[in-house]
């Protein structure tokens, strides 16, 4: 009888898109995130082949994590200003967008990444 390989607690850091800041590992598996009432499916899905989920913030405009999963890897992109509505349903439902938070999210989270590498951010936005 062969011993079963040990199952890792979380996928490797990495994915199909990169960030100018160091990527952080995901602390939860995709199944845990999908079943959690505190996470929703990212309505944008603009990350080239990854399936992304966003943490539902405690209040509109608050911070939140974004976990993006691809085959055997996952990474966390933390947003200082989340675009997810605090009223979003969780448990694998689509996130509701807090449109009032979009300008501040762009200013705080997207623009610094864009200024670092506009081509990379453009590819992410277009899902390439």
């Amino acid at each position: 009888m062969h011993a079963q390989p040990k199952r890792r607690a979380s996928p490797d850091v990495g994915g199909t898109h990169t960030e100018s800041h160091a990527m952080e590992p995901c602390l939860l598996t995709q199944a845990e995130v999908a079943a959690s009432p505190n996470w929703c499916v990212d309505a944008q899905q603009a990350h080239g082949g990854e399936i992304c989920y966003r943490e539902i913030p405690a209040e509109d405009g608050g911070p939140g994590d974004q976990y993006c999963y691809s085959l055997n890897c996952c990474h966390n992109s933390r947003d200082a200003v989340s675009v997810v509505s605090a009223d979003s349903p969780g448990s694998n439902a689509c996130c509701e967008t807090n449109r009032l938070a979009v300008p501040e999210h762009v200013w705080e989270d997207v623009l610094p990444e864009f200024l670092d590498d506009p081509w990379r951010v453009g590819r992410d936005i277009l899902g390439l």
Side-chain angles (χ1 to χ4, degrees):
M1 181 184 267
H2 297 291
Q4 293 287 341
K6 285 188 173 183
R7 187 168 179 248
R8 295 194 329 223
S10 63
D12 293 332
V13 175
T16 59
H17 81 276
T18 59
E19 306 273 340
S20 64
H21 57 277
M23 284 196 258
E24 301 172 21
C26 298
L27 302 177
L28 300 169
T29 66
Q30 185 173 356
E32 291 170 317
V33 169
S36 173
N38 300 319
W39 291 79
C40 54
V41 178
D42 190 344
Q44 304 305 314
Q45 294 298 329
H47 293 290
E50 297 177 325
I51 298 173
C52 299
Y53 300 83
R54 289 186 181 267
E55 183 179 24
I56 300 171
E59 60 186 33
D60 283 342
D65 287 325
Q66 179 192 44
Y67 283 9
C68 292
Y69 296 89
S70 57
L71 187 61
N72 296 321
C73 57
C74 177
H75 68 86
N76 174 13
S77 301
R78 180 130 179 100
D79 288 331
V81 179
S82 178
V83 295
V84 174
S85 169
D87 295 328
S88 290
S91 305
N92 216 26
C94 283
C95 299
E96 294 177 5
T97 302
N98 173 8
R99 297 191 191 285
L100 296 176
V102 171
E104 191 174 357
H105 170 69
V106 169
W107 180 257
E108 294 289 331
D109 297 308
V110 178
L111 187 60
E113 294 289 328
F114 182 79
L115 293 175
D116 177 67
D117 187 344
W119 295 110
R120 175 181 41 79
V121 173
R123 284 190 311 272
D124 286 351
I125 291 170
L126 296 174
L128 302 175

